[in-house]
Amino acid sequence: MPPRTRIALAATTVAVLGINSLVGVLPQAAADPCSGAAAGAMPPQASPSVLGGNGGEAPSGHRPANANNNAPLPKLGKLSRDLIDAFNPTKARQRAAVTPAPQPAPQTVPQQRAVEPTVPTQEVPHPEMGAGPGTSIIGWVTGVDSAANTLNKFGVSGTDLGIMWDNGDPGNNQVLMAFGDTYGYCGVRGQQWRYNVLLRTQDRSLSRGINVAPGSMTNRYAGTPEVATGYSKQVVNSIKWAPTEKGIIPTAGISVGNVQYMNFMSIRSWDSPGHWTTNFSAIAVSPDNGQNWGVYPGTVRTPEPNNVANTQYTPGNEKFQQGAFVKGGDGFVYSFGTPAGRSGPAYVSRVPQGQVPDLRHYQYWDGGNWVPGNPGAAAPIVDGSVGEMSAQYNTYLKQFLMMYGNEAGDVELRTAPAPQGPWSPPTRVVSAGDTPGGAYAPYLHPWSTGKELYYNLSLWSAYNVMLMKTTLP
């Protein structure tokens, strides 16, 4: 059992479980991302005894075999003409090698963010989305050819997700980005695999990609929390409640004041493509801008009666194994949920902003009313196959947006006048046919709330994250 600490949050003192040290040696992954030419690659001026893997159980054969630090990033296949023109990879090992999408003039995200909206009290008609809003690739967010140069700066050669949220700090406003299973240099023990890492950025010139400053072991506003110079640390660690744990994967993030909350899922098994089984979902907290994290024991949601220690199954918690956060402007944080994987519907709950880590204060939308304390009452707000998702209020449409990947590999966008809906039919913004190699997990940029949407999107074949742009009609 990890040590227990207490962190004071405003007027509330809540017990959290915190682990912030390296543990053990990583078992060899069944799918080796460091095979071939990269097998012996070592970081410059680094000791493998210091920069080893973070322990835990590596992914079980469903990670790609070609994400490494010596080979060039793969081509994206037969893309549409617009996507081909927008993406221009160069030779292997060159840094910042992706050319921005061609545009009439540089597009800069405004310095001032819009005031958060008030949830409408009456239904607002859905805007006409039209067919095929314009979508292009801006460039790599992670990997050897990324604008952020994540291998040399942070020891990150391959990763996915990149969930983004505003840190809520007016004195040092940043976007935090949480990534899932992460690989580094291949010649180091354990291939420097980590359950998750966190990057921070203040870059608002998104039309040119996302740059990230160097990291630090002590500066909570640096580009990443480090455990050693040039090496991003694993930020959310295992609480050791599940006998088998193959991933600790972030699914959502939000700030309330200067406190950061991250929802994550503990993976029991990687099953068939697009399907996996969770031990539980839970919420982690950071009082220092993501530098250190602890896990609230009372937020653990098991999807079924299982052998997870120190918790009991509550019917309906299986609906909230993954999800997204959004502030409604009415004093509530809205927490969307889906079952594990990419084949279930979406649900929504809400909680007063000051009570995010207390499941007793959550209310669940049953299709007509908010029902307190009963996740089993939650009714689907979106049917079909809803995968990794993000949500925000859009000032251009004056609607809430939901973006997610479906089981077929398409990225879809829906709008609604309120977080509980009614949600519009989906508009496809990225087609699986245009992105061979497996695109998934679209995460909206919190400073991109107008006509031009910027979002992270993972590509399975490269096992890295791209920055995308969709222009709404």
Side-chain angles (χ1 to χ4, degrees), residues 138-226:
I138 301 301
W140 292 112
V141 176
T142 61
V144 298
D145 288 318
S146 62
N149 193 8
T150 62
L151 179 62
N152 281 353
K153 278 187 180 178
F154 314 122
V156 174
S157 64
T159 190
D160 68 348
L161 304 184
I163 296 154
M164 296 186 281
W165 71 96
D166 187 300
N167 71 347
D169 188 340
N172 204 328
N173 200 203
Q174 293 178 308
V175 167
L176 307 188
M177 297 189 290
F179 298 87
D181 294 325
T182 299
Y183 293 93
Y185 283 94
C186 301
V188 177
R189 64 185 177 90
Q191 301 163 2
Q192 295 188 323
W193 180 81
R194 285 145 282 175
Y195 276 137
N196 46 69
V197 296
L198 183 83
L199 301 184
R200 309 182 186 100
T201 179
Q202 293 178 307
D203 194 348
R204 294 179 181 266
S205 299
L206 300 180
S207 64
R208 297 191 292 271
I210 296 179
N211 282 286
V212 181
S216 171
M217 288 180 278
T218 57
N219 180 2
R220 65 180 181 174
Y221 295 108
T224 189
E226 292 182 333

Side-chain angles (χ1 to χ4, degrees), residues 73-74 76 87 98 138-142 145-147 459 462 464-466:
L73 291 174
L76 297 184
F87 190 77
V98 178
I138 301 301
W140 292 112
V141 176
T142 61
D145 288 318
S146 62
L459 187 68
N464 269 299
V465 178
M466 305 176 287

Side-chain angles (χ1 to χ4, degrees), residues 114-369:
V115 176
E116 289 174 350
T118 300
V119 177
T121 57
Q122 60 184 4
E123 182 172 343
V124 177
H126 293 292
E128 293 296 327
M129 291 295 293
T135 296
S136 59
I137 300 173
I138 301 301
W140 292 112
V141 176
T142 61
V144 298
D145 288 318
S146 62
N149 193 8
T150 62
L151 179 62
N152 281 353
K153 278 187 180 178
F154 314 122
V156 174
S157 64
T159 190
D160 68 348
L161 304 184
I163 296 154
M164 296 186 281
W165 71 96
D166 187 300
N167 71 347
D169 188 340
N172 204 328
N173 200 203
Q174 293 178 308
V175 167
L176 307 188
M177 297 189 290
F179 298 87
D181 294 325
T182 299
Y183 293 93
Y185 283 94
C186 301
V188 177
R189 64 185 177 90
Q191 301 163 2
Q192 295 188 323
W193 180 81
R194 285 145 282 175
Y195 276 137
N196 46 69
V197 296
L198 183 83
L199 301 184
R200 309 182 186 100
T201 179
Q202 293 178 307
D203 194 348
R204 294 179 181 266
S205 299
L206 300 180
S207 64
R208 297 191 292 271
I210 296 179
N211 282 286
V212 181
S216 171
M217 288 180 278
T218 57
N219 180 2
R220 65 180 181 174
Y221 295 108
T224 189
E226 292 182 333
V227 71
T229 301
Y231 185 67
S232 296
K233 72 177 181 180
Q234 179 175 294
V235 289
V236 178
N237 296 285
S238 176
I239 61 175
K240 308 295 186 183
W241 284 12
T244 301
E245 192 165 56
K246 297 185 177 180
I248 300 173
I249 310 296
T251 68
I254 198 167
S255 63
V256 177
N258 288 346
V259 178
Q260 313 303 319
Y261 296 103
M262 185 194 300
N263 197 203
F264 68 92
M265 57 182 172
S266 166
I267 302 296
R268 183 191 302 177
S269 63
W270 299 109
D271 307 323
S272 59
H275 297 259
W276 52 86
T277 302
T278 51
N279 293 305
F280 58 83
S281 65
I283 295 175
V285 61
S286 172
D288 55 6
N289 202 44
Q291 196 74 6
N292 298 285
W293 293 82
V295 177
Y296 286 104
T299 65
V300 172
R301 297 178 185 259
T302 58
E304 60 185 2
N306 56 26
N307 56 355
V308 173
N310 304 315
T311 190
Q312 292 183 341
Y313 167 66
T314 298
N317 276 347
E318 66 277 5
K319 303 173 183 178
F320 293 88
Q321 294 300 293
Q322 301 167 211
F325 288 130
V326 67
K327 293 177 183 176
D330 55 356
F332 287 96
V333 168
Y334 288 80
S335 177
F336 297 89
T338 69
R342 301 181 185 134
S343 60
Y347 307 85
V348 68
S349 62
R350 69 180 187 179
V351 63
Q353 289 189 23
Q355 304 291 340
V356 170
D358 193 339
L359 296 184
R360 295 172 299 178
H361 292 276
Y362 279 67
Q363 303 169 14
Y364 301 86
W365 184 250
D366 70 355
N369 298 286

